[in-house]
Amino acid sequence: MNSFPLIPLKHRHSILIIDDEEAILDIMAMTLADEGYDLHTASSAKEGLSILKKSPDFSLIISDQMMPGMTGVQFFTEAREICPNAMRVLLTGYADIDAIIQAINSGGIHLYLTKPWHKDELLLSINQMLSKAELLIENRRLDELVKKQNTELIELNRHLEEKVRQKTLHLAQRAEELKASYDKIQLILEGTVLAISKIVESRDPYTAGHEQQVARIAGIIARKMALSEDQIEAIRIAGLLHDIGKIAVPAEILTKPGQLSRLEMEMVKTHSQNAYDILKTIEIPYPIAQIILQHHERIDGSGYPQGLKGEEILLEARIIGVADVIEAMSAHRPYRPALGIERAIEEITQKRGSLYDAHIVDICLGIYSDEGQKGFME
Ligand SMILES: [Fe+2]
Ligand SMILES: [Fe+2]
């Protein structure tokens, strides 16, 4: 039993002892015999090196300094190449400072012991060296683990990046497909809207082109007002369909030359509500039915069918209302010749703020004063 505390070791360690004196090897082997180490001895540096080459798995190497043929320092210089992880202890017969400095610098010595040694001191030193060796083993294990995990992370990262790249590619393809199908739907909608508008106009050849013209003028006003592309598109479609409700009004009334009777007028007025009833169930991404329902509403509440006032009327409907008046007055009608754009401008100027939205009228006046009649044609 040792009289001093030793650090418990986790592994069984191999120790190589090299000394040219047989007696030293015997004493050392005897001292360490009961400590549970795997002991190997060599009587020369050359023999020590050949043992290391066969089995470089030593935790600790103890070598004498003064040996024939090769000194301990020379031995360790070669031994550390073969067995770099072993702890290296140099035995010196006396405190040879030069040999010790050289041993540390070129032999990579971790400890030196002077002969003769004290048994306890030797056991303690060996125990400390092996404990240090275990810490280094553990460090190397953790190092390896970190390296392995890093490699795994890099691989995982690369894998994720590849997945993200593929997903992005897939999404871009899907977006392109969606865009293509959206464009196709827009084209179908456009064609359908135009077809419907032509059907309505075919019953009233005198107003041919009215809806297209209103859509165009309303679009010009909306652009000048810097509305969103969605609003402009809604105004354009609503413009193209705004009189679709006239489909339910007898053609004789629509084409009648001269003044309409009160009853006939009431029948014409139903076209806003008719249009709303036709369009309300159609899924269009804009409030087309509402805009058309309100296109004859007027700012002072004198319009129809609901008598809405001011901002109760959708902005889009207020724009179509003004565009409708400009187009209707500029164009020929069964009951009167074309009045001309000047008369239309006069009308909206006079009823600015009462029948027609003041800001929209101002926009129209701006267009007219800058570009004249051409300003309302694209
Ligand atoms: Fe109308
Ligand atoms: Fe109209």
Side-chain angles (χ1 to χ4, degrees):
M1 181 107 178
N2 299 312
S3 54
F4 46 87
L6 291 178
I7 302 161
L9 300 171
K10 288 179 194 158
H11 307 282
R12 178 176 165 86
H13 294 275
S14 296
I15 301 175
L16 175 63
I17 307 160
I18 302 115
D19 203 305
D20 58 320
E21 287 180 56
E22 203 73 32
I24 299 280
L25 286 179
D26 287 346
I27 297 167
M28 187 88 68
M30 268 173 61
T31 312
L32 299 175
D34 297 331
E35 301 301 318
Y37 303 130
D38 182 14
L39 285 179
H40 298 256
T41 54
S43 53
S44 70
K46 202 176 158 194
E47 189 192 347
L49 287 174
S50 105
I51 291 173
L52 286 181
K53 277 174 192 160
K54 275 183 214 149
S55 165
D57 206 18
F58 283 90
S59 302
L60 177 69
I61 305 168
I62 303 170
S63 173
D64 184 25
Q65 163 66 357
M66 298 296 285
M67 293 185 291
M70 194 183 263
T71 66
V73 172
Q74 286 167 335
F75 163 75
F76 276 127
T77 306
E78 287 188 34
R80 72 188 296 195
E81 295 289 324
I82 305 163
C83 188
N85 296 325
M87 302 305 291
R88 294 174 286 272
V89 179
L90 187 70
L91 282 176
T92 54
Y94 53 94
D96 179 347
I97 295 299
D98 286 344
I100 292 163
I101 291 171
Q102 200 193 349
I104 291 168
N105 288 342
S106 31
I109 301 305
H110 300 98
L111 181 78
Y112 76 91
L113 291 170
T114 48
K115 294 179 191 175
W117 60 82
H118 188 273
K119 184 192 169 195
D120 287 352
E121 186 195 4
L122 179 72
L123 288 176
L124 187 62
S125 297
I126 287 174
N127 176 259
Q128 282 172 346
M129 283 290 105
L130 290 173
S131 165
K132 200 171 169 185
E134 287 196 345
L135 278 177
L136 291 173
I137 289 168
E138 183 63 7
N139 268 352
R140 282 195 296 274
R141 191 187 69 80
L142 290 175
D143 254 10
E144 285 300 313
L145 193 67
V146 168
K147 267 185 208 155
K148 188 168 164 269
Q149 283 174 345
N150 268 345
T151 311
E152 283 170 5
L153 275 176
I154 289 166
E155 181 57 23
L156 192 68
N157 199 26
R158 199 194 57 73
H159 183 68
L160 279 176
E161 275 175 359
E162 178 58 21
K163 267 200 155 180
V164 168
R165 198 188 63 78
Q166 281 176 3
K167 278 267 175 215
T168 311
L169 201 70
H170 180 69
L171 281 176
Q173 279 168 352
R174 288 286 300 138
E176 235 169 71
E177 284 166 20
L178 278 175
K179 168 86 174 62
S181 81
Y182 176 80
D183 288 350
K184 206 169 166 187
I185 289 168
Q186 279 293 104
L187 222 62
I188 293 169
L189 178 65
E190 184 86 25
T192 312
V193 166
L194 268 173
I196 296 170
S197 130
K198 291 256 190 248
I199 292 168
V200 179
E201 286 181 354
S202 71
R203 301 181 68 241
D204 178 7
Y206 289 105
T207 56
H210 167 70
E211 296 195 293
Q212 278 99 317
Q213 300 283 56
V214 169
R216 193 171 47 73
I217 295 168
I220 291 168
I221 298 169
R223 280 198 192 282
K224 271 274 183 239
M225 292 175 75
L227 299 191
S228 71
E229 282 304 314
D230 271 2
Q231 277 179 301
I232 292 170
E233 182 63 1
I235 286 168
R236 208 180 58 77
I237 295 174
L240 284 173
L241 296 175
H242 77 279
D243 281 337
I244 190 185
K246 286 186 178 169
I247 200 96
V249 178
E252 319 73 273
I253 296 177
L254 296 177
T255 55
K256 184 181 170 182
Q259 283 288 79
L260 296 181
S261 71
R262 195 183 156 78
L263 183 66
E264 288 167 336
M265 203 60 191
E266 286 308 315
M267 287 186 78
V268 171
K269 283 185 175 179
T270 60
H271 79 279
S272 306
Q273 184 66 48
N274 291 340
Y276 178 76
D277 293 340
I278 293 167
L279 296 170
K280 69 182 176 191
T281 52
I282 302 178
E283 285 283 335
I284 305 180
Y286 315 110
I288 303 295
Q290 280 292 342
I291 296 170
I292 293 177
L293 177 66
Q294 297 177 7
H295 80 279
H296 282 287
E297 298 287 0
R298 295 296 176 249
I299 301 300
D300 59 3
S302 65
Y304 61 87
Q306 293 168 287
L308 300 177
K309 283 183 180 176
E311 295 199 351
E312 288 171 357
I313 309 162
L314 289 171
L315 175 64
E316 294 89 337
R318 279 179 266 153
I319 292 174
I320 290 177
V322 173
D324 198 16
V325 169
I326 293 176
E327 203 291 315
M329 293 192 80
S330 312
H332 173 76
R333 283 290 179 272
Y335 45 88
R336 56 148 175 79
L339 298 172
I341 185 77
E342 298 82 8
R343 182 68 194 85
I345 294 296
E346 202 181 303
E347 158 74 10
I348 59 169
T349 309
Q350 275 171 9
K351 315 279 173 52
R352 177 186 180 277
S354 57
L355 295 191
Y356 312 113
D357 182 299
H359 180 54
I360 297 168
V361 170
D362 291 344
I363 294 282
C364 292
L365 297 182
I367 295 170
Y368 188 65
S369 83
D370 288 348
E371 302 165 66
Q373 184 164 6
K374 276 190 195 157
F376 294 104
M377 298 182 203
E378 273 171 331

